[in-house]
Amino acid sequence: MRNRSAFWPALALMAPLVLFLAFAYAVPFLGVALWSVTLPEPGLGQYERLVGDPLVQSAFLRTFRICLIVTVIAVACAYAVTYVWVRGTRMQRRLIEICIFVPFWISLLTRAFGWLALLSTRGIVNTSLQALGLTDGPLALVRNEPSVIAGMVHVLIPFAVLPLASAMRTVDERMLLAARGMGASRLRIFWSVFLPLTLPGVIGATLIVFVFSLGFFVTPAILGGGRSIMVAELVYLRMFQSPDWGLGAAISVALVILVAGLMGLLARFARLGLTGGGR
Amino acid sequence: MSKRAVGLQVIGIGKSFGHFTALKDITLDIAPGEFLTLLGPSGSGKTTFLMVLAGFQAASEGRLLSDGVDITGSRAEDRSFGMVFQGYALFPHKSVAQNIAFPLQVRGIAREDIARRVDAIIARVGLAGHENKRPAQLSGGQQQRVALARALVFEPPVLLLDEPFSALDKHLRGRMQEEVARLHGEFGTTFVFVTHDQSEALSLSSRIAIFNHGRLLQVGAPRDIYERPSSRFVAEFLGEINLLPVGGIGHCARGTSGTFEDARLTAPRHDHLDGSAVLAVRPEHMSVSAEPPAEGNGVPARLVGTTYLGSAMRLAFATRSGTPLTVTLPSVAAGHILDRGPDFWVNWSFDNGFLLPEQS
């Protein structure tokens, strides 16, 4: 009751954001959803194709596989980096900030080309290896899954660092001291105290990284070189290369539903983890 | 139950953080099985000293011996003293039983032994029925018991307690104090207890060590420290006290005396004083009369206020020169005095005052 008087002014203040999201996001997406059931003719034909087409299926499976690997590597790397960032010396913290957050502001495209410059046939790695006489010819370091994974992990680590840092900062120093005082080794303290206490942060970071990685387009397109196509690139190809808007739209809708479902599931899991015990 | 309470010998321990000196030249013998309280205001260095004892902080100078063995450089995890932290520091993701089992698991003790010892100590601290609860589901007093059980279950040679009762309400605090005293008696472990609460220190300890500004001012049994403080700070910190500036210090057969206003006041002999000093008397050691006393010390004073405290009454007086005096009397005895006008004599026996140097 008390809030009723504040309802309309609050709505008025939020209106620009709501309108922006509606016009920039909801309306276009509804348009795409409409295409998926109307192009080239009305009906669920495109969804039948989506389920039946081995090319689409393999793109989905590849996307999940790559994203899972990327998430595990990115969260693990981010955990180590965050640990040093939160608990390290001043120098270490400064170094981490430069190494993690400066690239964060550089365009995705630039970073993908940076990896190309490193890994391509005439890139720095290959020319160095040959100059040192370690390899005869150039190694195929790019246009494959591992290079896509490397590029994606690089982009996604900062997104995992932030939730992990907030979890690590809430760990009570006295709990770690208490464990030490009871004779626990550093490894033991990490596994049975520090890691469980930061688990909500790990779940949050996993959720964010996995969801972000599912929609990756630029990095896999450049580093995968058209060989290991992921879902977002497949949508692009269906839309702009082989005019097949209906299928492209159906794949988009399927991806959004999957992501939303995953987010719901993981958010519930994270809530249980945060309250510790789930009761 | 405890087979190996140890004594600690602290020799000239100092601790600095940059230019700040947190502890200076602490020398102290902690006897096996004693209950030593470190008492002082916040920032006095008592907690830093506890952290140095625990091994969480390295001493900048001095040595620490455990039953004669030098442990100055050994790590906290190797000293393995039990510790109860302020706020308890229980593991929130572990159950009561898992929290208590942790130090035993760390020691690689067999699973059945762990279960047996955890069950035994849970019963001893009165937590039966709560084994599978998380700390967040327990009350403050119960969390306190878990912290004590976790710190005692591995039978440490020394138990360190850092202001363990600061989060509890007054009633619970009293119950937990009794509990800790009981556990100290049963386990026979050496207890080193930090507090800023002087009544807690007086009631629990076998000895009290008073800290201020990083220095150890005095160590002794509660009674000795309360009745024979060596400095003004200790006297004032341990409870209310009246301080009368006296001049013309002289020694006589009955002790040492000095002049306050027109009265010659006498206290037990103090050889290292001359000129002027401070005569200290606890409020409960004073009495009030209408006439000058036949024996002992007496100072004329005017009653300026009373406070009813239930069992006792606090009477505020001012002497002729305006020096405030506080007297506490049992309420029963105080009642009839108040009716008799504002001018009284405040009296105490020669033995109940003590002289302190002016600057301390």
Side-chain angles (χ1 to χ4, degrees):
Chain A
M1 292 309 275
R2 200 172 59 87
N3 289 332
R4 182 176 285 177
S5 60
F7 181 73
W8 291 109
L11 193 70
L13 285 171
M14 288 193 304
L17 180 66
V18 174
L19 287 175
F20 174 79
L21 283 177
F23 281 101
Y25 197 80
V27 170
F29 179 72
L30 286 176
V32 170
L34 200 63
W35 289 348
S36 74
V37 289
T38 54
L39 293 176
E41 63 213 19
L44 293 175
Q46 298 297 2
Y47 288 95
E48 280 167 31
R49 278 183 65 197
L50 188 143
V51 178
D53 190 339
L55 194 78
V56 177
Q57 278 178 2
S58 72
F60 264 98
L61 282 177
R62 183 183 302 116
T63 304
F64 272 96
R65 190 181 64 241
I66 290 177
C67 290
L68 254 153
I69 297 169
V70 164
T71 305
V72 169
I73 297 175
V75 172
C77 291
Y79 199 93
V81 165
T82 313
Y83 186 87
V84 179
W85 186 42
V86 171
R87 304 181 60 83
T89 62
R90 249 177 90 91
M91 271 296 279
Q92 289 172 326
R93 283 183 215 180
R94 194 56 51 78
L95 196 69
I96 298 268
E97 275 157 25
I98 292 168
C99 292
I100 292 289
F101 295 106
V102 171
F104 193 49
W105 308 117
I106 297 170
S107 147
L108 272 181
L109 211 56
T110 316
R111 279 190 277 172
F113 281 119
W115 279 99
L116 267 189
L118 266 179
L119 301 177
S120 67
T121 3
R122 272 183 289 163
I124 297 165
V125 174
N126 268 322
T127 47
S128 308
L129 284 176
Q130 282 169 278
L132 290 171
L134 294 172
T135 52
D136 295 332
L139 299 175
L141 297 174
V142 82
R143 286 170 203 284
N144 52 21
E145 272 186 29
S147 65
V148 171
I149 290 169
M152 286 175 72
V153 164
H154 180 217
V155 173
L156 287 164
I157 283 178
F159 292 97
V161 165
L162 295 175
L164 287 171
S166 75
M168 287 186 196
R169 290 210 170 96
T170 58
V171 172
D172 187 344
E173 192 66 25
R174 282 175 300 188
M175 271 168 215
L176 309 179
L177 281 186
R180 259 183 73 193
M182 287 183 272
S185 64
R186 293 178 66 146
L187 199 65
R188 179 120 208 172
I189 295 171
F190 179 78
W191 281 111
S192 45
V193 182
F194 194 79
L195 187 62
L197 288 177
T198 52
L199 210 55
V202 173
I203 294 170
T206 304
L207 170 69
I208 290 174
V209 169
F210 190 71
V211 167
F212 274 23
S213 68
L214 283 177
F216 259 52
F217 171 67
V218 172
T219 310
I222 292 173
L223 293 172
R227 285 199 196 156
S228 38
I229 293 171
M230 288 173 65
V231 172
E233 197 181 351
L234 187 64
V235 172
Y236 171 82
L237 291 175
R238 285 287 166 266
M239 291 280 189
F240 297 101
Q241 308 263 309
S242 54
D244 195 352
W245 287 26
L247 185 60
I251 297 171
S252 305
V253 171
L255 187 60
V256 167
I257 290 171
L258 264 169
V259 166
L262 269 171
M263 281 186 77
L265 205 74
L266 281 171
R268 242 184 87 188
F269 187 54
R271 235 190 338 272
L272 292 183
L274 280 170
T275 52
R279 264 176 301 127
Chain B
M1 184 153 169
S2 176
K3 298 145 281 189
R4 42 180 204 119
V6 306
L8 297 175
Q9 295 81 46
V10 180
I11 305 162
I13 289 277
K15 175 72 184 171
S16 320
F17 299 98
H19 294 296
F20 175 70
T21 306
L23 287 176
K24 195 155 171 60
D25 196 23
I26 309 291
T27 296
L28 175 65
D29 244 23
I30 304 174
E34 84 165 314
F35 194 129
L36 177 77
T37 295
L38 312 178
L39 178 67
S42 44
S44 59
K46 58 191 192 299
T47 297
T48 306
F49 182 58
L50 197 75
M51 291 297 160
V52 170
L53 289 184
F56 294 136
Q57 280 174 4
S60 310
E61 55 195 43
R63 292 197 306 146
L64 178 63
L65 311 183
S66 165
D67 276 350
V69 180
D70 194 320
I71 57 164
T72 318
S74 85
R75 302 175 305 167
E77 45 272 51
D78 299 329
R79 287 184 200 183
S80 234
F81 294 168
M83 175 117 187
V84 175
F85 286 81
Q86 203 172 0
Y88 321 132
L90 300 176
F91 304 132
H93 58 290
K94 291 180 186 285
S95 70
V96 168
Q98 286 168 340
N99 262 284
I100 298 172
F102 185 79
L104 301 176
Q105 287 165 346
V106 164
R107 283 167 179 71
I109 290 168
R111 191 178 291 247
E112 313 84 67
D113 282 348
I114 292 180
R116 190 175 45 74
R117 287 170 69 173
V118 168
D119 282 349
I121 202 153
I122 280 179
R124 281 177 76 174
V125 298
L127 280 170
H130 300 289
E131 292 88 344
N132 297 317
K133 289 187 182 167
R134 302 274 170 139
Q137 294 170 296
L138 301 177
S139 70
Q142 289 168 334
Q143 292 183 25
Q144 175 75 79
R145 287 161 202 270
V146 178
L148 280 166
R150 188 178 68 172
L152 283 168
V153 71
F154 60 100
E155 295 174 30
V158 177
L159 180 68
L160 309 170
L161 303 104
D162 185 14
E163 306 223 15
F165 307 134
S166 58
L168 302 178
D169 65 56
K170 202 178 169 208
H171 177 67
L172 203 52
R173 187 180 265 248
R175 291 232 323 259
M176 287 313 300
Q177 286 171 3
E178 287 169 24
E179 191 90 346
V180 165
R182 180 178 67 82
L183 289 171
H184 174 248
E186 286 181 18
F187 280 82
T189 302
T190 311
F191 276 36
V192 182
F193 180 94
V194 164
T195 186
H196 61 263
D197 180 332
Q198 25 92 8
S199 65
E200 194 164 278
L202 290 170
S203 65
L204 282 175
S205 331
S206 48
R207 282 196 309 157
I208 298 177
I210 309 263
F211 281 75
N212 194 33
H213 297 312
R215 288 171 188 274
L216 177 60
L217 298 184
Q218 192 175 358
V219 194
R223 196 182 186 114
D224 292 342
I225 290 213
Y226 186 78
E227 293 180 3
R228 297 273 171 272
S230 62
S231 65
R232 212 164 143 166
F233 176 83
V234 174
E236 289 184 286
F237 193 72
L238 277 178
E240 229 175 333
I241 197 151
N242 294 297
L243 298 170
L244 298 108
V246 290
I249 293 290
H251 303 291
C252 58
R254 277 196 302 217
T256 302
S257 58
T259 309
F260 173 76
E261 293 173 1
D262 299 333
R264 194 74 188 157
L265 304 175
T266 306
R269 193 170 178 84
H270 194 308
D271 287 326
H272 307 291
L273 293 173
D274 53 355
S276 50
V278 174
L279 178 58
V281 192
R282 298 275 176 208
E284 68 274 19
H285 289 155
M286 291 174 145
S287 62
V288 176
S289 65
E291 302 297 322
E295 254 289 306
N297 297 312
V299 171
R302 172 165 290 208
L303 184 65
V304 293
T306 61
T307 313
Y308 180 66
L309 301 172
S311 63
M313 216 156 168
R314 181 156 61 220
L315 312 177
F317 290 90
T319 66
R320 251 179 263 155
S321 61
T323 304
L325 291 178
T326 304
V327 181
T328 45
L329 294 177
S331 295
V332 193
H336 66 277
I337 291 175
L338 301 176
D339 308 331
R340 274 187 253 150
D343 292 308
F344 296 96
W345 285 78
V346 172
N347 317 312
W348 65 96
S349 76
F350 295 147
D351 290 341
N352 277 336
F354 44 89
L355 287 160
L356 296 169
E358 246 183 339
Q359 302 300 326
S360 67

